[in-house]
Short mmCIF file of all heavy atoms in Angstrom, two decimals:
data_model
loop_
_atom_site.label_atom_id
_atom_site.label_comp_id
_atom_site.label_asym_id
_atom_site.label_seq_id
_atom_site.Cartn_x
_atom_site.Cartn_y
_atom_site.Cartn_z
N ARG A 1 -13.72 31.63 -1.76
CA ARG A 1 -13.52 31.42 -3.19
C ARG A 1 -14.71 31.96 -3.98
O ARG A 1 -15.86 31.75 -3.64
CB ARG A 1 -13.35 29.93 -3.49
CG ARG A 1 -13.14 29.63 -4.98
CD ARG A 1 -12.94 28.15 -5.22
NE ARG A 1 -11.76 27.69 -4.51
CZ ARG A 1 -10.52 27.77 -5.00
NH1 ARG A 1 -10.34 28.33 -6.20
NH2 ARG A 1 -9.50 27.32 -4.33
N GLU A 2 -14.39 32.65 -5.07
CA GLU A 2 -15.44 33.19 -5.93
C GLU A 2 -16.12 32.06 -6.68
O GLU A 2 -15.48 31.15 -7.20
CB GLU A 2 -14.83 34.17 -6.93
CG GLU A 2 -15.86 34.78 -7.89
CD GLU A 2 -15.21 35.64 -8.93
OE1 GLU A 2 -13.96 35.72 -8.94
OE2 GLU A 2 -15.94 36.23 -9.73
N ARG A 3 -17.43 32.05 -6.71
CA ARG A 3 -18.19 31.09 -7.48
C ARG A 3 -18.33 31.59 -8.91
O ARG A 3 -18.68 32.74 -9.14
CB ARG A 3 -19.59 30.87 -6.87
CG ARG A 3 -19.54 30.37 -5.44
CD ARG A 3 -18.88 28.99 -5.35
NE ARG A 3 -18.82 28.50 -3.98
CZ ARG A 3 -19.77 27.75 -3.43
NH1 ARG A 3 -20.84 27.44 -4.13
NH2 ARG A 3 -19.66 27.35 -2.19
N VAL A 4 -18.04 30.72 -9.86
CA VAL A 4 -18.08 31.14 -11.26
C VAL A 4 -18.93 30.14 -12.07
O VAL A 4 -18.44 29.39 -12.89
CB VAL A 4 -16.65 31.23 -11.86
CG1 VAL A 4 -15.96 32.48 -11.40
CG2 VAL A 4 -15.83 30.00 -11.45
N PRO A 5 -20.23 30.09 -11.82
CA PRO A 5 -21.06 29.09 -12.47
C PRO A 5 -21.07 29.18 -13.98
O PRO A 5 -21.18 28.17 -14.66
CB PRO A 5 -22.45 29.34 -11.87
CG PRO A 5 -22.42 30.77 -11.42
CD PRO A 5 -21.02 31.00 -10.95
N PHE A 6 -20.98 30.37 -14.55
CA PHE A 6 -21.04 30.46 -16.01
C PHE A 6 -19.76 29.94 -16.65
O PHE A 6 -19.78 29.37 -17.71
CB PHE A 6 -21.33 31.90 -16.43
CG PHE A 6 -22.71 32.33 -16.09
CD1 PHE A 6 -22.96 33.15 -15.00
CD2 PHE A 6 -23.79 31.88 -16.84
CE1 PHE A 6 -24.26 33.53 -14.68
CE2 PHE A 6 -25.08 32.27 -16.52
CZ PHE A 6 -25.32 33.09 -15.43
N ARG A 7 -18.61 30.14 -15.99
CA ARG A 7 -17.37 29.61 -16.52
C ARG A 7 -17.33 28.08 -16.42
O ARG A 7 -16.65 27.43 -17.18
CB ARG A 7 -16.19 30.20 -15.77
CG ARG A 7 -16.00 31.69 -16.00
CD ARG A 7 -14.90 32.24 -15.12
NE ARG A 7 -13.61 31.61 -15.43
CZ ARG A 7 -12.55 31.72 -14.63
NH1 ARG A 7 -12.64 32.40 -13.50
NH2 ARG A 7 -11.41 31.16 -14.98
N ASN A 8 -18.06 27.50 -15.48
CA ASN A 8 -18.12 26.05 -15.36
C ASN A 8 -18.64 25.39 -16.63
O ASN A 8 -18.37 24.23 -16.90
CB ASN A 8 -19.03 25.65 -14.19
CG ASN A 8 -18.37 25.94 -12.86
OD1 ASN A 8 -17.23 26.38 -12.81
ND2 ASN A 8 -19.11 25.72 -11.79
N ARG A 9 -19.41 26.14 -17.37
CA ARG A 9 -19.99 25.60 -18.59
C ARG A 9 -18.90 25.12 -19.55
O ARG A 9 -19.09 24.23 -20.36
CB ARG A 9 -20.87 26.64 -19.25
CG ARG A 9 -21.69 26.12 -20.42
CD ARG A 9 -22.60 27.19 -20.97
NE ARG A 9 -23.47 27.71 -19.93
CZ ARG A 9 -24.11 28.87 -20.04
NH1 ARG A 9 -23.94 29.62 -21.11
NH2 ARG A 9 -24.90 29.29 -19.07
N GLY A 10 -17.71 25.72 -19.45
CA GLY A 10 -16.63 25.32 -20.34
C GLY A 10 -16.25 23.86 -20.16
O GLY A 10 -15.91 23.17 -21.12
N LEU A 11 -16.29 23.34 -18.92
CA LEU A 11 -15.98 21.94 -18.70
C LEU A 11 -16.98 21.03 -19.38
O LEU A 11 -16.63 20.06 -20.06
CB LEU A 11 -15.97 21.64 -17.19
CG LEU A 11 -15.84 20.17 -16.78
CD1 LEU A 11 -14.53 19.60 -17.30
CD2 LEU A 11 -15.94 20.01 -15.28
N VAL A 12 -18.26 21.36 -19.23
CA VAL A 12 -19.29 20.55 -19.86
C VAL A 12 -19.18 20.59 -21.37
O VAL A 12 -19.33 19.57 -22.06
CB VAL A 12 -20.69 21.00 -19.40
CG1 VAL A 12 -21.77 20.18 -20.07
CG2 VAL A 12 -20.80 20.90 -17.89
N GLU A 13 -18.89 21.76 -21.91
CA GLU A 13 -18.74 21.87 -23.36
C GLU A 13 -17.57 21.03 -23.85
O GLU A 13 -17.63 20.39 -24.90
CB GLU A 13 -18.57 23.34 -23.76
CG GLU A 13 -19.82 24.16 -23.55
CD GLU A 13 -19.58 25.64 -23.79
OE1 GLU A 13 -18.41 26.05 -23.91
OE2 GLU A 13 -20.57 26.38 -23.85
N TRP A 14 -16.48 21.03 -23.06
CA TRP A 14 -15.33 20.21 -23.44
C TRP A 14 -15.69 18.73 -23.45
O TRP A 14 -15.35 17.98 -24.36
CB TRP A 14 -14.20 20.48 -22.45
CG TRP A 14 -12.89 19.84 -22.88
CD1 TRP A 14 -11.90 20.42 -23.59
CD2 TRP A 14 -12.46 18.51 -22.60
NE1 TRP A 14 -10.87 19.52 -23.78
CE2 TRP A 14 -11.19 18.34 -23.18
CE3 TRP A 14 -13.03 17.43 -21.92
CZ2 TRP A 14 -10.47 17.17 -23.11
CZ3 TRP A 14 -12.32 16.24 -21.85
CH2 TRP A 14 -11.06 16.13 -22.43
N LEU A 15 -16.43 18.30 -22.43
CA LEU A 15 -16.83 16.91 -22.35
C LEU A 15 -17.77 16.53 -23.49
O LEU A 15 -17.64 15.47 -24.11
CB LEU A 15 -17.52 16.63 -21.01
CG LEU A 15 -16.63 16.68 -19.76
CD1 LEU A 15 -17.49 16.58 -18.52
CD2 LEU A 15 -15.61 15.57 -19.79
N LEU A 16 -18.72 17.40 -23.79
CA LEU A 16 -19.71 17.08 -24.81
C LEU A 16 -19.12 17.04 -26.21
O LEU A 16 -19.74 16.50 -27.12
CB LEU A 16 -20.86 18.10 -24.75
CG LEU A 16 -21.74 18.00 -23.50
CD1 LEU A 16 -22.82 19.07 -23.55
CD2 LEU A 16 -22.36 16.63 -23.39
N ALA A 17 -17.94 17.56 -26.38
CA ALA A 17 -17.29 17.44 -27.67
C ALA A 17 -16.91 16.00 -27.97
O ALA A 17 -16.72 15.61 -29.12
CB ALA A 17 -16.03 18.31 -27.72
N PHE A 18 -16.86 15.17 -26.90
CA PHE A 18 -16.44 13.79 -27.08
C PHE A 18 -17.48 12.78 -26.62
O PHE A 18 -17.39 11.61 -26.94
CB PHE A 18 -15.14 13.52 -26.29
CG PHE A 18 -14.00 14.38 -26.75
CD1 PHE A 18 -13.74 15.59 -26.13
CD2 PHE A 18 -13.21 13.98 -27.81
CE1 PHE A 18 -12.68 16.38 -26.56
CE2 PHE A 18 -12.15 14.76 -28.22
CZ PHE A 18 -11.88 15.97 -27.61
N MET A 19 -18.47 13.23 -25.87
CA MET A 19 -19.42 12.29 -25.28
C MET A 19 -20.85 12.77 -25.50
O MET A 19 -21.09 13.84 -26.06
CB MET A 19 -19.13 12.13 -23.79
CG MET A 19 -17.81 11.38 -23.55
SD MET A 19 -17.25 11.48 -21.86
CE MET A 19 -16.59 13.14 -21.80
N VAL A 20 -21.80 11.94 -25.04
CA VAL A 20 -23.21 12.17 -25.33
C VAL A 20 -23.94 12.52 -24.04
O VAL A 20 -23.75 11.87 -23.01
CB VAL A 20 -23.85 10.92 -25.96
CG1 VAL A 20 -25.32 11.16 -26.24
CG2 VAL A 20 -23.11 10.54 -27.24
N LEU A 21 -24.76 13.54 -24.08
CA LEU A 21 -25.56 13.93 -22.93
C LEU A 21 -26.60 12.87 -22.62
O LEU A 21 -27.26 12.34 -23.51
CB LEU A 21 -26.25 15.26 -23.20
CG LEU A 21 -27.04 15.88 -22.04
CD1 LEU A 21 -26.08 16.32 -20.94
CD2 LEU A 21 -27.86 17.06 -22.53
N VAL A 22 -26.72 12.53 -21.33
CA VAL A 22 -27.71 11.56 -20.89
C VAL A 22 -29.00 12.29 -20.56
O VAL A 22 -29.01 13.18 -19.70
CB VAL A 22 -27.21 10.78 -19.66
CG1 VAL A 22 -28.28 9.81 -19.17
CG2 VAL A 22 -25.93 10.03 -20.00
N ALA A 23 -30.08 11.94 -21.20
CA ALA A 23 -31.35 12.63 -20.96
C ALA A 23 -31.87 12.37 -19.55
O ALA A 23 -32.38 13.25 -18.89
CB ALA A 23 -32.37 12.19 -21.99
N ALA A 24 -31.75 11.12 -19.09
CA ALA A 24 -32.24 10.79 -17.76
C ALA A 24 -31.48 9.56 -17.27
O ALA A 24 -31.12 8.70 -18.06
CB ALA A 24 -33.74 10.49 -17.78
N VAL A 25 -31.24 9.49 -15.97
CA VAL A 25 -30.57 8.35 -15.38
C VAL A 25 -31.57 7.62 -14.49
O VAL A 25 -31.95 8.12 -13.44
CB VAL A 25 -29.35 8.79 -14.54
CG1 VAL A 25 -28.66 7.59 -13.92
CG2 VAL A 25 -28.37 9.58 -15.41
N PRO A 26 -32.06 6.45 -14.91
CA PRO A 26 -33.05 5.73 -14.12
C PRO A 26 -32.46 5.19 -12.82
O PRO A 26 -31.24 5.12 -12.66
CB PRO A 26 -33.47 4.58 -15.05
CG PRO A 26 -32.30 4.39 -15.95
CD PRO A 26 -31.71 5.75 -16.15
N ALA A 27 -33.31 4.83 -11.91
CA ALA A 27 -32.89 4.34 -10.61
C ALA A 27 -32.26 2.97 -10.74
O ALA A 27 -32.40 2.28 -11.74
CB ALA A 27 -34.09 4.27 -9.67
N SER A 28 -31.52 2.59 -9.69
CA SER A 28 -30.95 1.26 -9.65
C SER A 28 -32.05 0.22 -9.68
O SER A 28 -33.19 0.50 -9.30
CB SER A 28 -30.09 1.10 -8.39
OG SER A 28 -30.89 1.28 -7.24
N GLY A 29 -31.70 -1.00 -10.12
CA GLY A 29 -32.77 -1.97 -10.26
C GLY A 29 -32.29 -3.40 -10.34
O GLY A 29 -31.10 -3.68 -10.35
N GLN A 30 -33.25 -4.29 -10.37
CA GLN A 30 -33.03 -5.70 -10.59
C GLN A 30 -34.07 -6.18 -11.58
O GLN A 30 -35.20 -5.69 -11.60
CB GLN A 30 -33.17 -6.49 -9.28
CG GLN A 30 -32.08 -6.23 -8.25
CD GLN A 30 -32.34 -4.98 -7.45
OE1 GLN A 30 -33.48 -4.57 -7.26
NE2 GLN A 30 -31.28 -4.36 -6.98
N GLN A 31 -33.69 -7.13 -12.39
CA GLN A 31 -34.67 -7.74 -13.29
C GLN A 31 -34.63 -9.25 -13.07
O GLN A 31 -33.57 -9.84 -12.89
CB GLN A 31 -34.40 -7.38 -14.74
CG GLN A 31 -33.01 -7.66 -15.24
CD GLN A 31 -32.82 -7.18 -16.67
OE1 GLN A 31 -33.67 -6.48 -17.22
NE2 GLN A 31 -31.73 -7.58 -17.28
N VAL A 32 -35.82 -9.86 -13.06
CA VAL A 32 -35.96 -11.27 -12.75
C VAL A 32 -36.60 -11.98 -13.94
O VAL A 32 -37.68 -11.58 -14.39
CB VAL A 32 -36.82 -11.49 -11.49
CG1 VAL A 32 -37.03 -12.97 -11.23
CG2 VAL A 32 -36.16 -10.85 -10.28
N MET A 33 -35.95 -13.03 -14.44
CA MET A 33 -36.52 -13.86 -15.48
C MET A 33 -37.12 -15.10 -14.83
O MET A 33 -36.42 -15.86 -14.15
CB MET A 33 -35.46 -14.28 -16.50
CG MET A 33 -36.05 -15.03 -17.69
SD MET A 33 -34.80 -15.49 -18.94
CE MET A 33 -34.11 -16.97 -18.18
N VAL A 34 -38.42 -15.30 -15.00
CA VAL A 34 -39.12 -16.46 -14.47
C VAL A 34 -39.44 -17.38 -15.64
O VAL A 34 -40.10 -16.96 -16.60
CB VAL A 34 -40.42 -16.07 -13.75
CG1 VAL A 34 -41.08 -17.29 -13.13
CG2 VAL A 34 -40.14 -15.04 -12.68
N SER A 35 -38.94 -18.60 -15.58
CA SER A 35 -39.12 -19.52 -16.70
C SER A 35 -39.70 -20.83 -16.18
O SER A 35 -39.18 -21.42 -15.23
CB SER A 35 -37.78 -19.78 -17.40
OG SER A 35 -37.97 -20.41 -18.63
N GLY A 36 -40.80 -21.28 -16.78
CA GLY A 36 -41.45 -22.51 -16.35
C GLY A 36 -42.33 -23.08 -17.43
O GLY A 36 -42.19 -22.76 -18.62
N SER A 37 -43.26 -23.91 -17.03
CA SER A 37 -44.08 -24.65 -17.99
C SER A 37 -44.98 -23.74 -18.81
O SER A 37 -45.41 -24.11 -19.91
CB SER A 37 -44.94 -25.68 -17.24
OG SER A 37 -45.74 -25.04 -16.27
N THR A 38 -45.29 -22.55 -18.31
CA THR A 38 -46.18 -21.64 -19.04
C THR A 38 -45.43 -20.61 -19.88
O THR A 38 -46.05 -19.74 -20.48
CB THR A 38 -47.09 -20.90 -18.05
OG1 THR A 38 -46.28 -20.17 -17.12
CG2 THR A 38 -47.97 -21.88 -17.28
N GLY A 39 -44.09 -20.69 -19.92
CA GLY A 39 -43.31 -19.75 -20.71
C GLY A 39 -42.33 -18.98 -19.85
O GLY A 39 -42.03 -19.37 -18.72
N THR A 40 -41.84 -17.87 -20.38
CA THR A 40 -40.81 -17.08 -19.71
C THR A 40 -41.21 -15.62 -19.69
O THR A 40 -41.68 -15.08 -20.70
CB THR A 40 -39.45 -17.25 -20.41
OG1 THR A 40 -39.10 -18.64 -20.43
CG2 THR A 40 -38.36 -16.47 -19.70
#
């Protein structure tokens, strides 16, 4: 199959007409809230 990287741009352009480009996608994570006598 012929690779057509420049034509692929059409898909992204179609998507961006309706959505917003993400500048960066941070890693998965967890956040912990610790609450006690000294605060949170």
Side-chain angles (χ1 to χ4, degrees):
R1 180 178 299 275
E2 179 185 3
R3 300 297 179 91
V4 283
F6 290 103
R7 293 175 62 194
N8 287 356
R9 189 177 303 162
L11 172 61
V12 179
E13 291 173 349
W14 189 93
L15 291 172
L16 291 179
F18 299 93
M19 291 167 283
V20 180
L21 185 68
V22 178
V25 180
S28 60
Q30 292 81 28
Q31 54 184 10
V32 176
M33 186 178 80
V34 184
S35 193
S37 58
T38 59
T40 302

